Amino acid sequence: MRLVFRSFTLVAAALFIGGMLAGCNRLSKQEKEMVGKYYNTALSDMKPAIELNADRSAVVRAIRPGDLVYAVSATWKATPDSLILIPDSTSIVVEEGDPAAVGNVAPRLAWPIVKYNEQTLTLIRDKNTIDYRHRYE
């Protein structure tokens, strides 16, 4: 009887811990709706400025048309009022321009969300309000 109880306890503990670990990566309802590619059409219709993936991976692009475009991999989460990205500064990929022109990558980006709907994500970045067009591609 003791062996059965101990086995049951171990299985229950393993299931609980596994559930907790799996739950850490689950997307909220808001985050599920936000998955997709976001374009700052003032800078580029061809390259998304922000890509938010369902596995919490992301890509953030710095775009200076005709000069420099580089991408950085990141992880992301959304709170009710902010988009938070943790870039991996070792993952910088220069897509256009001079690699020497790439500056420092911040270790954490937190941009207030002004508005979100299925077509537009409006963020505040460096005291500027920027509209990003959402595409589900």
Side-chain angles (χ1 to χ4, degrees):
M1 180 71 167
R2 218 195 272 166
L3 183 61
V4 170
F5 180 73
R6 183 176 288 164
S7 295
F8 176 77
T9 304
L10 290 174
V11 168
L15 288 173
F16 177 75
I17 291 170
M20 291 296 290
L21 291 175
C24 292
N25 202 32
R26 287 195 183 133
L27 299 177
S28 69
K29 181 180 183 232
Q30 174 190 7
E31 290 169 325
K32 287 177 186 173
E33 293 171 356
M34 292 176 71
V35 168
K37 296 181 180 181
Y38 293 87
Y39 293 78
N40 180 341
T41 56
L43 299 178
S44 176
D45 258 347
M46 304 301 293
K47 293 184 183 278
I50 304 168
E51 299 177 34
L52 303 176
N53 301 307
D55 64 357
R56 291 205 179 276
S57 66
V59 175
V60 181
R61 280 186 182 77
I63 302 172
R64 290 192 298 220
D67 184 27
L68 179 68
V69 176
Y70 67 92
V72 179
S73 297
T75 57
W76 72 282
K77 73 175 184 174
T79 65
D81 64 351
S82 294
L83 175 61
I84 299 167
L85 297 128
I86 308 298
D88 174 5
S89 62
T90 66
S91 70
I92 296 172
V93 175
V94 177
E95 298 174 353
E96 295 174 21
D98 181 4
V102 175
N104 293 329
V105 175
R108 181 178 185 271
L109 304 168
W111 299 323
I113 297 173
V114 175
K115 175 179 75 173
Y116 172 75
N117 60 44
E118 58 188 41
Q119 298 169 343
T120 306
L121 172 64
T122 303
L123 301 173
I124 296 175
R125 293 185 60 181
D126 301 321
K127 299 181 183 178
N128 297 309
T129 302
I130 302 172
D131 289 328
Y132 295 91
R133 301 293 173 219
H134 190 188
R135 295 187 197 161
Y136 292 95
E137 303 168 354

